[in-house]
Amino acid sequence: MSKPKNVWEEFFANRRSGGHRSSAEQFLSKEAKEKLFHLDGGKTLLDFGCGAGELLVYYAPEYEKLVGVDFSASMLDEASKKIRERNHGNIDLILADDKTIWGMLDSSFDRITAAGVIQYLTDEEIDKFIANASRHLNKGGKIVFFDVLDPRLYPLWKIGLFSRDAGCWKIFRKIGFEVLTIISAILKNRPKDILGYTHKPCTIEGIANKHGFDMEYVQSMYYEYKYHAIIS
């Protein structure tokens, strides 16, 4: 991929909603419950890449203090609206990215999480993220990467193999579309896949182990081509 971070920042610059399968409150509520189950307690939480706060506002009742971080001002504007609407006084928002956030924090956390974000980081950037996060993690805390693109399942999802109406003709059509998308991206010097990088569970586990953590791999309930990396 060419110049990924600049492209991601440009892509999200004016967006006002996250990449959830559905924006319906019923779906977001269920998705948040699954993630809260894996977060498994704690009193303070840092949500990196919180986007428009769709999940953050569901986390709020379960924590004493929360900090939401994102590099998109438009996303944080939407998150701020949601927070005011629900009258959550325990959430602070910070405009920052994976490099600048660590110098802006004045406290440590029981949980540091990122949902649908790690796909925009390279292996080297994930390594640095875990190293930095470990310095802001309370004893017994967890780093949880939600919804990481699984390189074993994501290609199958892209060609429609998990669709209810999957068929040979539809799969061939999707394969053709993906090939054209890749060619177009190369010609325009854009990322081949706007959803970012896939990461093998063993790769993230190896990085976690390097920094003295264990990692548990859990399949996502609501995205068949994604998994959660629970690092503790």
Side-chain angles (χ1 to χ4, degrees):
M1 294 184 186
S2 183
K3 299 179 181 178
K5 291 303 287 292
N6 290 338
V7 171
W8 305 143
E9 290 170 8
E10 177 186 341
F11 179 70
F12 286 104
N14 297 307
R15 294 195 61 171
R16 293 185 171 273
S17 63
H20 302 277
R21 175 162 284 174
S22 170
S23 59
E25 290 295 320
Q26 185 178 14
F27 176 83
L28 292 173
S29 174
K30 289 180 179 179
E31 184 181 339
K33 285 179 181 177
E34 180 211 8
K35 289 174 167 57
L36 283 167
F37 174 80
H38 293 305
L39 286 170
D40 189 26
K43 295 182 178 180
T44 55
L45 179 141
L46 171 68
D47 185 6
F48 180 79
C50 67
E54 288 101 335
L55 297 174
L56 188 60
V57 293
Y58 284 102
Y59 297 160
E62 307 299 324
Y63 289 88
E64 293 178 4
K65 177 185 176 183
L66 305 94
V67 175
V69 181
D70 207 278
F71 63 41
S72 170
S74 60
M75 286 285 215
L76 287 184
D77 183 54
E78 286 300 311
S80 181
K81 291 178 182 177
K82 289 183 175 64
I83 291 167
R84 290 197 302 271
E85 287 171 359
R86 298 181 184 233
N87 197 30
H88 291 313
N90 58 341
I91 304 177
D92 293 324
L93 299 176
I94 299 177
L95 180 66
D97 61 20
D98 59 296
K99 294 180 176 65
T100 59
I101 180 54
W102 311 110
M104 302 170 71
L105 299 173
D106 58 5
S107 64
S108 55
F109 301 87
D110 297 327
R111 301 289 183 269
I112 296 177
T113 185
V117 172
I118 297 307
Q119 64 208 48
Y120 301 111
L121 302 181
T122 63
D123 290 345
E124 181 181 354
E125 288 168 330
I126 292 174
D127 190 321
K128 292 179 180 177
F129 186 97
I130 292 176
N132 285 318
S134 67
R135 300 185 187 103
H136 292 82
L137 196 65
N138 292 330
K139 185 177 180 180
K142 293 181 181 180
I143 302 168
V144 186
F145 297 150
F146 287 120
D147 301 326
V148 185
L149 293 177
D150 191 329
R152 303 162 300 178
L153 300 175
Y154 182 52
L156 302 179
W157 174 79
K158 289 197 77 175
I159 65 173
L161 202 62
F162 296 142
S163 299
R164 293 180 181 178
D165 58 349
C168 291
W169 174 238
K170 287 192 175 183
I171 289 174
F172 281 126
R173 267 185 15 190
K174 281 185 174 288
I175 291 173
F177 175 78
E178 290 301 323
V179 171
L180 290 175
T181 300
I182 291 172
I183 293 173
S184 175
I186 293 172
L187 293 174
K188 295 179 180 178
N189 195 31
R190 304 281 289 185
K192 296 177 184 178
D193 190 335
I194 201 61
L195 283 186
Y197 302 99
T198 60
H199 295 287
K200 295 178 181 178
C202 61
T203 299
I204 296 182
E205 184 175 20
I207 296 171
N209 293 162
K210 170 186 171 183
H211 294 286
F213 292 97
D214 291 326
M215 191 197 95
E216 181 183 0
Y217 159 89
V218 180
Q219 185 68 36
S220 170
M221 285 180 61
Y222 295 103
Y223 303 92
E224 55 277 290
Y225 54 98
K226 296 182 179 182
Y227 66 92
H228 309 319
I230 304 171
I231 300 167
S232 58

